[in-house]
Amino acid sequence: MNTYKLGLVLGSGASRGWAHIGVIEALQDADIPIHLVAGCSVGAFVGAIFASGGLEQLKKYVVEMDGESMFSFSDLSLIRPGFLDGDKKLRELFCMHSDKKEFDELEIPLKVVAADMHSGRQVILDSGDLLKALRASMSYPGLFAPVYHKRRWLIDGGVVDPVPVGVARAMGADIVIAVNLDSELVSRKRHQKTDIIPEMKSSPVRNEFLKNLAARYEAVEKTIRDRLERQKKKKPTPPGTRQVINAAIQLMQDRITRANFAVNPPDILITPRLGDLKMLDYDQVQHAIEEGYIATREKISDIRMFLNTKDTGEA
């Protein structure tokens, strides 16, 4: 009988967070038990759906939706300049896949991380209103409004602990598997180029067609080259506000994660190759899920080694 507890830590990462679905699926396919979950931001959301038994439904739904529809769940009603109100849409999305409302209704233990906007302290939420806690953990600075919860204004937990390994340890995890979505590693998969024109037997008509088509492509290529040359001569355009905020937060989260790992490293670190995916690329759901699955499969032998060590009682 297994006496150890395996904790899964799901980090922040906006649209990259769908990779967590692939991670969990790979662990389940390999019969790796998950006894508890700690999550931050989108990791908190996916973790809560998993802990309530609705992961398969969530995957089917997000894969079928397009990026524009997914972003509509941010609830584009401005409650004050620069902030979106995500309460209503988050509840809709969560309740499509789960009927759980409180932490104590979940099938496995879950803790989610938010941050106190004024003190900057980590806030661990693990009781009471589940959806309010998720909304607080996902209050991405500059995009979503902070949440007033348990007498504090709370924002996205990623600003203090993007991959909360320490939280899983405090929950009693003997083995911690952490998923960090902030890596700049790019997917190994490449889109295969397909021939624009299928192979044809030679004939005067077809040869003329190919000549004309080739001439068109040459003209288009020249136009593009000319535009690029003109663009180089122009002064560079400053990035937009959202781009600046996203880049700054991503840099900050990467530094914080590195510092936290130096003090409290996970036993297994899973890093999906999502460097080509921007934080708000909500139209890349399938890609993110696949990369999460692939990255986890590559770690299965290491995970089994840790499990075997615990089973045999070795240090």
Side-chain angles (χ1 to χ4, degrees):
M1 180 179 177
N2 297 331
T3 57
Y4 60 82
K5 286 185 179 180
L6 187 146
L8 179 63
V9 178
L10 304 178
S12 60
S15 63
R16 294 180 177 184
W18 304 127
H20 292 317
I21 296 176
V23 170
I24 295 171
E25 285 187 328
L27 293 174
Q28 290 177 324
D29 287 349
D31 295 322
I32 304 296
I34 300 171
H35 300 109
L36 55 91
V37 177
C40 179
S41 195
V42 68
F45 179 81
V46 175
I49 292 287
F50 167 64
S52 65
L55 190 71
E56 187 175 345
Q57 291 176 316
L58 176 66
K59 179 189 176 181
K60 185 175 185 297
Y61 185 75
V62 297
V63 167
E64 289 177 353
M65 290 189 73
D66 58 28
E68 184 178 350
S69 298
M70 279 307 304
F71 192 72
S72 74
F73 273 98
S74 61
D75 196 356
L76 301 180
S77 56
L78 292 172
I79 62 171
R80 61 178 66 91
F83 288 126
L84 304 177
D85 179 13
D87 285 4
K88 181 181 176 182
K89 293 298 186 179
L90 174 66
R91 287 180 180 274
E92 284 182 18
L93 183 59
F94 187 86
C95 292
M96 285 179 185
H97 314 293
S98 172
D99 59 356
K100 313 301 184 191
K101 301 293 190 299
E102 304 281 329
F103 275 91
D104 59 11
E105 296 175 15
L106 297 174
E107 296 173 8
I108 62 174
L110 170 75
K111 290 182 187 286
V112 305
V113 174
D116 187 310
M117 189 178 75
H118 296 296
S119 70
R121 292 176 181 171
Q122 179 193 65
V123 177
I124 300 171
L125 303 170
D126 58 1
S127 63
D129 190 332
L130 175 62
L131 293 175
K132 196 79 170 180
L134 295 180
R135 175 66 180 81
S137 184
M138 299 173 71
S139 296
Y140 196 79
L143 184 62
F144 294 110
V147 173
Y148 191 71
H149 184 50
K150 297 193 175 183
R151 301 182 181 181
R152 289 175 287 198
W153 283 104
L154 302 179
I155 58 175
D156 194 304
V159 302
V160 291
D161 199 357
V163 190
V165 173
V167 175
R169 298 277 188 209
M171 293 173 73
D174 301 298
I175 302 171
V176 173
I177 299 173
V179 185
N180 180 19
L181 302 179
D182 286 338
S183 169
E184 291 309 306
L185 294 171
V186 176
S187 173
R188 295 190 185 96
K189 298 179 70 175
R190 294 288 181 270
H191 294 291
Q192 298 296 322
K193 293 183 179 179
T194 55
D195 293 333
I196 297 171
I197 305 169
E199 188 177 348
M200 294 185 266
K201 293 182 180 179
S202 178
S203 74
V205 175
R206 287 182 178 128
N207 286 339
E208 188 63 28
F209 170 75
L210 292 174
K211 281 182 182 179
N212 292 337
L213 193 59
R216 285 186 187 180
Y217 276 107
E218 286 177 7
V220 171
E221 185 181 0
K222 183 179 184 303
T223 301
I224 292 173
R225 279 201 307 267
D226 291 343
R227 286 180 180 175
L228 289 175
E229 287 299 322
R230 288 196 297 270
Q231 192 67 31
K232 286 179 183 178
K233 296 175 182 178
K234 292 181 180 179
K235 291 183 178 180
T237 304
T241 302
R242 184 177 294 174
Q243 286 178 291
V244 173
I245 292 173
N246 288 340
I249 292 176
Q250 196 167 350
L251 286 169
M252 175 190 68
Q253 289 181 341
D254 181 61
R255 302 278 176 111
I256 293 171
T257 299
R258 289 172 185 269
N260 289 350
F261 282 176
V263 176
N264 199 352
D267 298 301
I268 300 291
L269 178 61
I270 296 172
T271 309
R273 304 177 73 94
L274 297 171
D276 51 343
L277 188 61
K278 300 296 184 293
M279 302 300 279
L280 296 177
D281 283 347
Y282 283 95
D283 58 344
Q284 298 293 317
V285 173
Q286 188 65 54
H287 170 58
I289 293 174
E290 287 177 359
E291 289 300 325
Y293 191 93
I294 292 168
T296 306
R297 290 297 305 176
E298 292 174 348
K299 296 285 186 174
I300 292 299
S301 60
D302 293 338
I303 296 170
R304 291 196 189 284
M305 180 188 71
F306 273 97
L307 297 183
N308 291 335
T309 299
K310 292 295 181 182
D311 282 336
T312 57
E314 296 176 15

